[in-house]
Amino acid sequence: MGQQINLPTTRTQCIGAYLAQPQGKPKGGIVVIQEIFGVNAHMRSVVDRFAEHGYTAIAPAFFDHLETGVELGYDEAGSAKGKQLVNELGLERALEDVASAAEAISSSGRIGTVGYCWGGTVALLAALRLGLPSVSYYGARNLPFLHEQPKAPVMFHFGEKDSSIPPEAVAKHRELLPQMETFTYPAGHAFNRDGSKPYHEASAQLALQRTLAFFDQHLISA
């Protein structure tokens, strides 16, 4: 369904992005923000899924600032490489790219974001600082930013068996951002990653339903 495009950024370098268009007029646009593994087959399938639900969707290839075409496996080596790349990239540059991606699909209507793992924290920042309605899946780096005043609504999804995000961290989201919806599921980290071991179908489907309802509320005719 989708296609690879070049995405201008606020810096001198263009990066790649995966773009999928819906059939008919878009309901709005969604910037899909990757895990630490790059815009791989799973992330492209997530983009396609949102397009199937009526949204223009785009996933910027943030790592192109550092290395072109990064698609990592879910093994120990892939995780180590992904962590190295996100630490080198930094959240600020990723947020700049989200803004560029949102601008690129702005003709689709109101724009939101959805992010997973590392991308879940970037999605939170997109709501806090860019004013984009956002959905954050299991963002383990969220805590330092929860004191900021949001410029747009954000929804949180967490796995109750996620060893990287303990219950007290989830509770902080409810305490510091009580106006935002925070959901938990009987699953571990990366429960939305279909085709891999952490995938938990029932949790992923329920989270998707809630995510789509969020975007339908905040992006359509907003």
Side-chain angles (χ1 to χ4, degrees):
M1 176 182 291
Q3 60 179 316
Q4 299 287 344
I5 66 167
N6 290 321
L7 180 67
T9 72
T10 55
R11 311 203 179 200
T12 56
Q13 180 184 11
C14 284
I15 61 173
Y18 182 74
L19 172 72
Q21 300 277 7
Q23 292 185 348
K25 183 181 177 181
K27 296 178 179 179
I30 297 173
V31 180
V32 176
I33 307 171
Q34 63 176 61
E35 302 173 303
I36 64 171
F37 304 100
V39 182
N40 57 13
H42 167 63
M43 294 314 304
R44 293 192 294 271
S45 74
V46 172
V47 172
D48 289 341
R49 188 174 305 135
F50 282 113
E52 290 167 4
H53 285 282
Y55 291 93
T56 299
I58 185 171
F62 305 100
F63 292 163
D64 280 3
H65 288 292
L66 308 172
E67 297 181 24
T68 302
V70 175
E71 296 187 33
L72 301 173
Y74 299 125
D75 56 6
E76 186 175 338
S79 295
K81 178 68 171 179
K83 290 174 183 176
Q84 173 197 329
L85 289 170
V86 296
N87 288 336
E88 186 176 348
L89 180 74
L91 291 169
E92 294 295 339
R93 183 152 44 165
L95 198 60
E96 292 173 9
D97 290 346
V98 170
S100 296
E103 176 63 27
I105 60 171
S106 60
S107 62
S108 298
R110 187 114 192 256
I111 309 301
T113 85
V114 60
Y116 305 84
C117 184
W118 171 78
T121 297
V122 180
L124 168 61
L125 290 172
L128 294 174
R129 301 178 183 177
L130 301 180
L132 301 177
S134 297
V135 178
S136 171
Y137 278 74
Y138 30 83
R141 297 167 173 83
N142 290 357
L143 289 185
F145 308 107
L146 296 180
H147 65 282
E148 296 187 25
Q149 185 67 32
K151 295 181 178 179
V154 58
M155 173 182 285
F156 298 103
H157 300 301
F158 295 105
E160 294 162 2
K161 303 175 183 178
D162 188 340
S163 59
S164 66
I165 307 174
E168 52 268 27
V170 176
K172 275 290 183 185
H173 290 71
R174 295 190 170 116
E175 175 190 339
L176 297 175
L177 292 174
Q179 72 276 38
M180 306 303 179
E181 292 182 298
T182 298
F183 297 105
T184 61
Y185 303 85
H189 193 75
F191 65 77
N192 185 71
R193 191 196 298 150
D194 50 338
S196 70
K197 187 176 180 180
Y199 180 60
H200 190 266
E201 183 176 6
S203 299
Q205 291 299 323
L206 180 55
L208 178 61
Q209 290 174 19
R210 288 167 168 164
T211 296
L212 290 169
F214 175 92
F215 286 133
D216 286 352
Q217 176 185 355
H218 295 292
L219 301 186
I220 299 175
S221 300

